[in-house]
Amino acid sequence: MALLVRVLRNQTSISQWVPVCSQLVSVSPSQRQWNSTSQWLQKNQSQVCVGSEQTVGADTVQSRKYHNTSKLLTTQDFPQPVEEKVGPFTKIIEAMGFTGPLKYSKWKIKIAALRMYTSCVEKTDFEEFFLRCQMPDTFNSWFLITLLHVWMCLVRMKQEGRTGKYMCRIIVHFMWEDVEQRGRVMGVNSYILKKNMALMTNNFYAAILGYDEGILSDDHGLAAALWRTFFNQKCEDPRQLELLVEYVRKQMQYLDSMNGEDLLLTGEVRWRPLVEKNPQSILKPHAPTYNDEGL
């Protein structure tokens, strides 16, 4: 409730009470020279409102408390990646399905992409995943674990503009070449292999969409995506889902801490263990080794 301002109209005790902010301001008889009370209020309103949380004179009143509701964040409030400025010629080339000039030479990007995919299949402890997640030691289980690590690399490299997106395409290309080669080594019939490759391709893009949605949501959304794709809706132990959600979160934090330029030129990725004593610890990446050193 706003306090009242006592305005003296003349030398007599006749007064009028007018609400102004939350102050009680005394008006001297000399202020009668103003033509109206509204003029006086208009001039002194700013001075009165500035100190609205303080008391004036002998009469003190408890300060009014205001509550400001914080604004909910939206996707527009988060920093968005800066789009690279390309010329019209580059736009025409890329519209035709070709790759325009990149920040680094394509052969360096391809070598880095091969090293990054190699880190997904050689630096991952598959035996630990088979044991902790109770997965059978099969080709399909190997593909699911590799797909998860390849997806995390794709999420990281897509943040590096056009060059990073080009590197993502090369990583996926190397992955399918490796899958096909492993199938031939296992003696799978060419017709069955081709049919399985088409099925795995559909599962791959469905998994990418599900993982992308899960990583942008909370842990419940990420756990649902892992349950549908990684565990094929057959996980009955919630501790396994919790372990895998924790693994993905800490790996994404670790990948984000790596320098983008180093990843584009080296492709070196080190994976954190599936089980750690302190999984919430922040690790610093090691110094990279460039793929053109010694050449």
Side-chain angles (χ1 to χ4, degrees):
M1 179 178 181
L3 298 181
L4 302 178
V5 176
R6 184 177 181 180
V7 181
L8 299 179
R9 290 185 174 179
N10 46 39
Q11 295 180 353
T12 62
S13 60
I14 301 176
S15 62
Q16 180 181 3
W17 298 93
V18 182
V20 177
C21 295
S22 59
Q23 299 281 346
L24 182 62
V25 179
S26 60
V27 182
S28 61
S30 61
Q31 293 173 336
R32 291 179 301 167
Q33 59 184 353
W34 296 96
N35 295 331
S36 62
T37 304
S38 61
Q39 294 179 355
W40 180 88
L41 294 177
Q42 183 177 4
K43 182 177 180 180
N44 294 274
Q45 185 176 5
S46 60
Q47 299 178 357
V48 173
C49 294
V50 169
S52 59
E53 296 184 358
Q54 301 177 354
T55 56
V56 179
D59 298 331
T60 59
V61 181
Q62 184 178 3
S63 301
R64 180 184 299 178
K65 296 181 179 180
Y66 298 93
H67 173 72
N68 295 327
T69 304
S70 58
K71 179 183 176 182
L72 297 178
L73 297 178
T74 61
T75 55
Q76 297 180 354
D77 297 326
F78 293 94
Q80 301 294 329
V82 180
E83 294 292 338
E84 296 183 34
K85 295 182 179 180
V86 296
F89 181 73
T90 302
K91 293 182 180 180
I92 295 175
I93 292 178
E94 294 183 348
M96 296 173 61
F98 300 96
T99 303
L102 300 175
K103 189 175 183 180
Y104 302 106
S105 61
K106 294 181 181 180
W107 71 268
K108 285 187 177 182
I109 301 300
K110 290 181 179 180
I111 295 176
L114 179 59
R115 295 180 68 174
M116 183 170 290
Y117 172 72
T118 304
S119 67
C120 295
V121 295
E122 292 187 356
K123 297 182 180 180
T124 302
D125 192 349
F126 289 91
E127 295 295 334
E128 187 176 14
F129 275 89
F130 295 154
L131 177 63
R132 299 285 182 178
C133 301
Q134 298 181 358
M135 303 174 68
D137 188 358
T138 61
F139 180 78
N140 185 63
S141 298
W142 170 88
F143 178 73
L144 292 175
I145 298 173
T146 303
L147 187 153
L148 179 64
H149 290 80
V150 168
W151 164 74
M152 288 190 285
C153 290
L154 298 181
V155 172
R156 177 62 184 90
M157 298 316 300
K158 285 181 180 178
Q159 304 176 26
E160 301 302 324
R162 295 172 54 253
T163 306
K165 293 179 181 178
Y166 174 77
M167 186 173 179
C168 290
R169 295 198 299 267
I170 303 302
I171 293 174
V172 175
H173 173 75
F174 285 135
M175 182 192 70
W176 291 124
E177 281 194 346
D178 185 36
V179 170
E180 185 177 2
Q181 184 65 26
R182 289 174 184 267
R184 292 177 179 176
V185 171
M186 294 174 62
V188 181
N189 182 272
S190 59
Y191 174 76
I192 298 178
L193 179 61
K194 183 178 180 180
K195 186 177 180 180
N196 291 339
M197 288 282 294
L199 181 61
M200 285 188 293
T201 301
N202 295 332
N203 294 337
F204 171 77
Y205 290 108
I208 293 297
L209 293 176
Y211 287 155
D212 286 343
E213 182 182 2
I215 198 65
L216 293 175
S217 60
D218 56 5
D219 290 344
H220 297 85
L222 180 58
L226 292 169
W227 178 76
R228 290 191 303 265
T229 303
F230 190 86
F231 292 101
N232 198 20
Q233 304 181 7
K234 295 180 181 179
C235 179
E236 298 179 356
D237 190 353
R239 292 174 297 181
Q240 297 177 4
L241 273 176
E242 180 184 5
L243 177 63
L244 209 57
V245 168
E246 181 182 79
Y247 178 77
V248 172
R249 294 293 187 189
K250 69 181 181 182
Q251 291 294 0
M252 293 306 303
Q253 177 273 322
Y254 184 57
L255 290 175
D256 288 338
S257 66
M258 296 182 179
N259 184 270
E261 304 294 328
D262 295 337
L263 291 175
L264 288 173
L265 293 174
T266 66
E268 290 186 359
V269 175
R270 298 178 182 271
W271 303 103
R272 300 180 62 170
L274 180 60
V275 179
E276 291 181 295
K277 294 182 179 179
N278 186 13
Q280 296 183 356
S281 61
I282 299 177
L283 301 181
K284 295 183 179 180
H286 300 278
T289 302
Y290 291 93
N291 54 38
D292 57 348
E293 289 186 358
L295 297 179

